[in-house]
């Protein structure tokens, strides 16, 4: 792999702790979600951070593909729905649903752009064969 960019973040305290990037851009407390036994309230957690990163990365890949294909699109939107669940062996796994909106093109073009974006997105490549990722073109 030819490295284009490297970043670094450190977590302390796990799911009831703090995450900070080396450059200070990310500097947040994380908590266990209420659904997993945490306190009520609005807190960040690893799944929220993953959802935000995946959505932004996929949207960028989508626009990259549209430019390469010379397809004019409106402002695209990608929503990542990330779930954590128990595996039969006692471990945990993630599942992702990506909801993709591409204004300005017909459904067939939107589906093709989404499929191609999924092939180049670093998050999609990292999760391929590891977790269930479902694509929904709206």
């Amino acid at each position: 792999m030819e490295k284009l960019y490297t970043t670094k973040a450190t977590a302390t305290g796990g799911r009831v702790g703090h995450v900070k990037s080396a450059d200070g851009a990310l500097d947040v407390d994380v908590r266990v979600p209420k659904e997993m036994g945490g306190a009520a309230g609005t807190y960040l957690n690893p799944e929220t951070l993953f959802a935000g990163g995946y959505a932004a990365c996929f949207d960028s890949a989508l626009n990259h593909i549209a430019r390469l294909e010379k397809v004019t699109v409106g402002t695209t939107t990608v929503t990542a729905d990330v779930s954590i669940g128990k595996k039969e062996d006692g471990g945990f796994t993630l599942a992702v649903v990506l909801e993709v909106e591409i204004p300005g093109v017909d459904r067939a073009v939107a589906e093709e752009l989404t499929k191609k974006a999924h092939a180049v997105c670093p998050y999609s490549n990292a999760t391929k064969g590891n977790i269930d990722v479902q694509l929904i073109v709206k």
Side-chain angles (χ1 to χ4, degrees), residues 10-20 27-32 44:
T10 302
T12 318
R15 288 183 171 272
V16 184
H18 194 84
V19 177
K20 184 173 182 178
D27 192 357
V28 297
D29 288 330
V30 292
R31 298 290 181 264
V32 175
L44 285 174

Side-chain angles (χ1 to χ4, degrees), residues 77-125:
T77 304
V78 176
T79 301
D81 183 345
V82 175
S83 300
I84 185 171
K86 290 184 181 181
K87 293 172 46 177
E88 289 182 19
D89 66 5
F92 297 90
T93 192
L94 299 174
V96 177
V97 176
L98 295 175
E99 297 176 355
V100 180
E101 295 182 50
I102 309 173
V105 299
D106 66 31
R107 184 167 191 81
V109 171
E111 288 174 351
E112 188 63 23
L113 292 172
T114 298
K115 180 180 172 183
K116 289 179 178 180
H118 193 44
V120 301
C121 174
Y123 274 67
S124 292
N125 284 320

